[in-house]
Amino acid sequence: MRYLTILLSLFYINSFTAQTYEDSLIELRIVRIGEMIDSSSHILNTEEQKSFEGLQFFKVDSSFRIQAKFTKEVGKKFEMPTSTARKPIYRQFGFIEFSLEGKACKLFVYQNMALRRKKEYKDYLFIPFRDATNGNETYGGGRYLDFKKTTNPEVIVDFNTVYNPYCVYSHRYSCPIPPAENTLTVPIRAGEKVPVGYAQDH
C-alpha cells in the first residue's frame, strides 16, 4: 500500500527542517485517510465505508520523534494472540530503549515470519504497544508502530507515525494484540487517536 511505502521511506531520512518534517507527516496522514475511503484498496467494504466517519490525529509533535537505542536479540518463534482465533507466527527480533518524560522506556520489536518471505517486507519489523492514553484518547486495544531492520544501535523512533489496527474499523480483520511487556506507563499523545464516532466499548 502507498501508506506503508511512504512510512518506510521516512526511515531513510536522517534530518528534516521543521516545515519539511511536518509536511511529510501530513502527507502520510492524507494517504492513510485516502486509503480508508478508496474502494480499490479494499480496506473497508461498501457498508463499512458508509459508516466510516474519518480519522483523528494528535498534532504533529517533534518531541515524540525520539532518539532510541536498538538492541538485536532474536528470540524463538511464537504464536501471537490476535483479536480473533488466528495466531500468526512471530519472533522477537530485538528491543528499543529510550527516555520519555524522564522515565526509562523499553519496547520489544517483532518480526512476522510469513511477511519476511516477501521481498517488499524483508526489512519490515513491528512494534505493537499500549500506553497511558489507551481507552480514553486512543484505542483501548493499543496501537502499532512500524520499524525497519538496522545494524545501527542508534535509531530514531517516531511516534507521530503510530496508527490503529484495522480491526478498529472492521470486524473482518484479525489484529495482533500487544504483548503485556509492551505496555508503557507514560502517555504517547502522538499519531492516531480514537477514530471519529468510535465507542470504546465497541
Side-chain angles (χ1 to χ4, degrees):
M1 290 185 286
R2 187 169 172 237
Y3 173 77
L4 182 58
T5 300
I6 295 176
L7 178 58
L8 291 179
S9 73
L10 293 178
F11 288 107
Y12 292 102
I13 302 175
N14 295 319
S15 62
F16 299 92
T17 65
Q19 184 62 38
T20 302
Y21 170 68
E22 185 169 353
D23 284 349
S24 68
L25 267 297
I26 291 173
E27 178 186 1
L28 187 69
R29 292 174 177 187
I30 291 172
V31 170
R32 171 78 167 170
I33 294 170
E35 287 190 337
M36 297 295 287
I37 61 178
D38 184 358
S39 58
S40 66
S41 71
H42 304 294
I43 294 173
L44 302 179
N45 62 28
T46 303
E47 289 303 311
E48 290 162 349
Q49 286 186 353
K50 289 179 181 178
S51 61
F52 179 68
E53 298 183 46
L55 303 179
Q56 296 188 111
F57 300 90
F58 288 98
K59 183 179 179 180
V60 175
D61 185 347
S62 61
S63 69
F64 282 104
R65 187 171 182 264
I66 298 170
Q67 184 82 32
K69 178 183 178 183
F70 171 69
T71 300
K72 182 177 179 181
E73 189 176 86
V74 179
K76 296 180 179 179
K77 298 176 185 179
F78 68 96
E79 295 181 336
M80 177 80 80
T82 69
S83 56
T84 67
R86 185 180 72 94
K87 292 186 177 181
I89 304 301
Y90 278 80
R91 69 177 176 184
Q92 178 188 306
F93 195 82
F95 56 89
I96 56 172
E97 296 173 291
F98 55 94
S99 178
L100 189 61
E101 295 188 355
K103 295 183 178 180
C105 301
K106 180 177 181 179
L107 289 173
F108 289 92
V109 180
Y110 301 95
Q111 182 177 43
N112 184 302
M113 301 309 290
L115 282 182
R116 70 190 285 264
R117 302 189 191 97
K118 299 182 179 181
K119 183 178 180 180
E120 64 268 36
Y121 292 106
K122 64 182 180 67
D123 292 330
Y124 174 74
L125 300 172
F126 174 61
I127 305 176
F129 73 96
R130 291 189 176 96
D131 68 271
T133 68
N134 295 152
N136 183 14
E137 297 167 281
T138 62
Y139 171 56
R143 294 178 293 167
Y144 298 163
L145 177 65
D146 292 330
F147 194 72
K148 183 178 172 62
K149 279 186 183 179
T150 179
T151 57
N152 190 342
E154 301 298 323
V155 296
I156 297 294
V157 178
D158 194 346
F159 286 101
N160 289 288
T161 64
V162 166
Y163 59 96
N164 292 324
Y166 283 147
C167 57
V168 175
Y169 312 102
S170 171
H171 290 299
R172 294 181 297 110
Y173 289 93
S174 175
C175 303
I177 298 172
E181 60 265 29
N182 267 19
T183 301
L184 299 176
T185 59
V186 295
I188 303 294
R189 293 189 173 93
E192 284 191 35
K193 294 183 177 182
V194 175
V196 177
Y198 185 85
Q200 288 285 12
D201 58 354
H202 186 277

